[in-house]
Amino acid sequence: MRDPCDTDPEKLVFFEDLYDQYFERVNRYLRYRVTSVWDADDLTAAVFTRAFEKRHHFRGEAPVAVWLFRIAHNIFVDYIRSKGRLTLSEPENSAQAAEDGQPEEELLRLEELRQLRRLLETLAPDYRDVISLRYVGELRFSQIGRVLDRTEAAVRMIHHRALKALRKKLCEEEG
Amino acid sequence: MSGEKNKLGAGEKNNVIPLGEGWHGTESRPGEDTSLNDLVRHMRSLRDSIPVNQKLRRDLRARLLEGVGPQTEERPAFNYQEKRGPAGRPWWAAGLIAAAALGIIIYIALGPFGCRTLDGGQTAEVGRFWTGEAPLLPAVSPGDGVIVVERGGALLLLGRQGEQFSSVNPPPGVRYGSPCWSPDGKRLALVRQGGSGWEIISIEIPKVEVRDIQRTLEEGLERAVVLARSPAASPVAHLSWSPGSDRIAYAVTEDSENGIYLAAAGSEPVFFGPGAQVAWSPDGNWLAVEREEAQGRSLRVVSINGEAEYTLGQGTFPVWSEKGFLFFLQTSVREKILSYLPDGSPQFKVQIKTGEIRWVYLGSGKGLEKVFDREPDGIEPRLLMTPDTPAGNVELQWLKSLELSGDRTPKTLYLDRAGEIEGLVPGDGSSLLLSRRDGGIVVISRVGYSVRKTDGGDNQ
């Protein structure tokens, strides 16, 4: 049986738009959350492959960002369960970041990013989810709530507490 | 992108407000502590430092979008409505054929013709120890209940997870070292160094009980049997029991040359040949020997009577598992370019020498000649895993110093991570213990693996 959506030009254009608009966010989100950049890229491919296969299930009831990040988050959670532990990533592709002519500055920023990740790793899992979806996935609070099956108010509260905890840890670390 | 009505965000609130504008989250409440806002700005600015894999973006887009459309005529799917096989056979005939094919595949994979391969498992840190200069090589009791390590001439006793529960201290002027548990678990051999030289002693262990192990070892030391002696100028190390727990191989350094000896209770030690470390084959008829050669340290597999010898290639710290896998460490060098000059040539780069755990399947030792005869060009070792290395800080410090100095001429930083590895020893039946120096501290990690039978299609 042929999937009728394969020939539906509207669905293909929809997916094309989705891909172009969200690839960077999803790839960054997974590279931020997964230790190995290779694994993160595999997961990114899995997210878009699944989104492609399920594109005809998207009914527009939720914003597309929520739909896509729900897929990304579920794939991430499955990956973490299979690994048995949660770690945050350390970007290995520093050469890529260094190509813009200011390599030292970029590398210093990478070090700051590492520090932030390290501190984030010490926070509770729901804090990490909210902060990652907010600042790497670039989602609204209401969208994060729908990705994580929580109310917007709960997400705002978690976000605020996570920021305070993070600031406290940063202050402690920097003396 | 075409088709305005299909654009995301047209008619729906899908668009995410760009960070930094129109933001009404908790972080921008009026009167909120400004340091939270600073943190938020900091996190937003760092987001762009996460690189995006542009090649994946292009390739995946091509795979997903350029392979669909009217040209995708058929999909290999089973038509449940029709209930007939592709060649017009009744559906149950196709099912029968499929089941038979599956059975053959399973038989090949799991039966006697299946090849064995290994999958790397999880790596977990067992413990970190300050040991000064001496290498720290653990000895693991069969059943994996107790780990013994030498530290400062004493024996440190650890549980499976690295919990430190006691130690056995030597008398004044004496040091213990190189502990090695016999495969049957009934003996612990170790080196005792005193004023008169070096002795290899064997302690009887009636039962390995974690609660009583300190007392058992202390009592055993009083009744220890001396298996071999060596003068003070000829240090002894790297003990290895035979699979039958009746002989022991050890390395002696004489005039800067390493030699392997074989000893047994009640008989004189026998010189086996040059080498620093050994691993016994499961049938006890072969030894994998690490030798210092002109091109570096390499591994040979030598029959116990010395009549046959095969070369495995570069490698150190051999471990021959009961299931016939020979593990060892191999060194590889990889290069990472950190920055480029305007003309595209590398500016700052790092060359890192790393140790990799590799393996070959040699079997129990029986018929080993045939294994090597089948591979006249040598057996290609496969990678089990590359131990994690604490990368990043040294490189970053180096870059910072270059930035401060204003030096922009091309430079290479050489890092030797392989030199930090102190040893690889057998763990339980599905793990190895890796000992590595990390900034003056020795870290012992457990590296898991699992054996899998395949139809021969696995390649590293």
Side-chain angles (χ1 to χ4, degrees), chain A residues 63-64 83 96 109 138 167, chain B residues 14 16 33 45 52 57 122:
Chain A
V64 74
K83 287 275 175 185
Q96 189 176 343
R109 289 179 69 75
E138 302 176 62
R167 182 186 59 184
Chain B
N14 275 333
V16 175
D33 186 349
S45 68
V52 171
R57 180 185 188 144
Q122 286 202 335

Side-chain angles (χ1 to χ4, degrees), chain B residues 58-329:
Chain B
R58 287 190 297 273
D59 292 352
L60 184 62
R61 195 181 197 285
R63 182 161 70 83
L64 292 176
L65 289 164
E66 290 168 19
V68 296
Q71 71 275 22
T72 55
E73 284 300 320
E74 291 298 331
R75 281 186 171 185
F78 188 82
N79 188 336
Y80 291 94
Q81 300 299 318
E82 204 173 313
K83 291 192 176 180
R84 291 190 73 83
R89 286 184 293 271
W91 65 270
W92 52 266
L96 212 62
I97 293 166
L102 189 67
I104 292 167
I105 291 168
I106 291 171
Y107 179 72
I108 289 170
L110 302 179
F113 307 115
C115 297
R116 290 165 182 81
T117 190
L118 285 180
D119 292 325
Q122 286 202 335
T123 301
E125 189 175 306
V126 171
R128 289 173 173 258
F129 307 93
W130 168 251
T131 61
E133 292 303 313
L136 191 135
L137 287 174
V140 185
S141 69
D144 208 16
V146 178
I147 300 173
V148 181
V149 295
E150 169 207 353
R151 185 170 64 172
L155 299 175
L156 200 60
L157 310 176
L158 313 169
R160 180 182 159 81
Q161 305 298 332
E163 61 275 19
Q164 187 173 323
F165 49 83
S166 58
S167 64
V168 174
N169 296 311
V174 174
R175 293 175 68 90
Y176 299 137
S178 300
C180 179
W181 224 296
S182 66
D184 64 5
K186 294 178 180 169
R187 294 176 191 84
L188 181 78
L190 51 96
V191 173
R192 184 164 63 189
Q193 183 196 2
S196 59
W198 304 76
E199 290 175 331
I200 295 174
I201 58 173
S202 172
I203 304 167
E204 295 292 322
I205 311 282
K207 200 173 181 184
V208 180
E209 287 278 359
V210 172
R211 284 176 306 179
D212 300 327
I213 191 67
Q214 183 188 10
R215 189 166 51 83
T216 305
L217 286 181
E218 285 172 345
E219 288 175 1
L221 279 164
E222 291 171 9
R223 298 188 295 273
V225 176
V226 178
L227 299 176
R229 289 190 170 84
S230 179
S234 302
V236 175
H238 302 306
L239 311 187
S240 177
W241 281 103
S242 66
S245 305
D246 54 348
R247 281 186 292 180
I248 197 160
Y250 60 96
V252 178
T253 306
E254 291 167 311
D255 301 327
S256 305
E257 296 279 330
N258 290 315
I260 302 292
Y261 286 80
L262 302 178
S267 60
E268 281 294 307
V270 179
F271 180 68
F272 179 73
Q277 300 196 52
V278 300
W280 293 79
S281 66
D283 69 356
N285 289 326
W286 298 83
L287 287 175
V289 183
E290 176 194 319
R291 284 189 185 154
E292 188 72 49
E293 295 179 346
Q295 65 272 28
R297 288 191 283 179
S298 66
L299 289 176
R300 302 284 180 103
V301 179
V302 187
S303 64
I304 198 75
N305 56 15
E307 289 175 1
E309 183 171 319
Y310 299 97
T311 302
L312 268 178
Q314 186 226 340
T316 55
F317 304 114
V319 173
W320 205 324
S321 78
E322 275 179 36
K323 289 174 181 161
F325 293 93
L326 183 74
F327 299 94
F328 51 94
L329 279 168

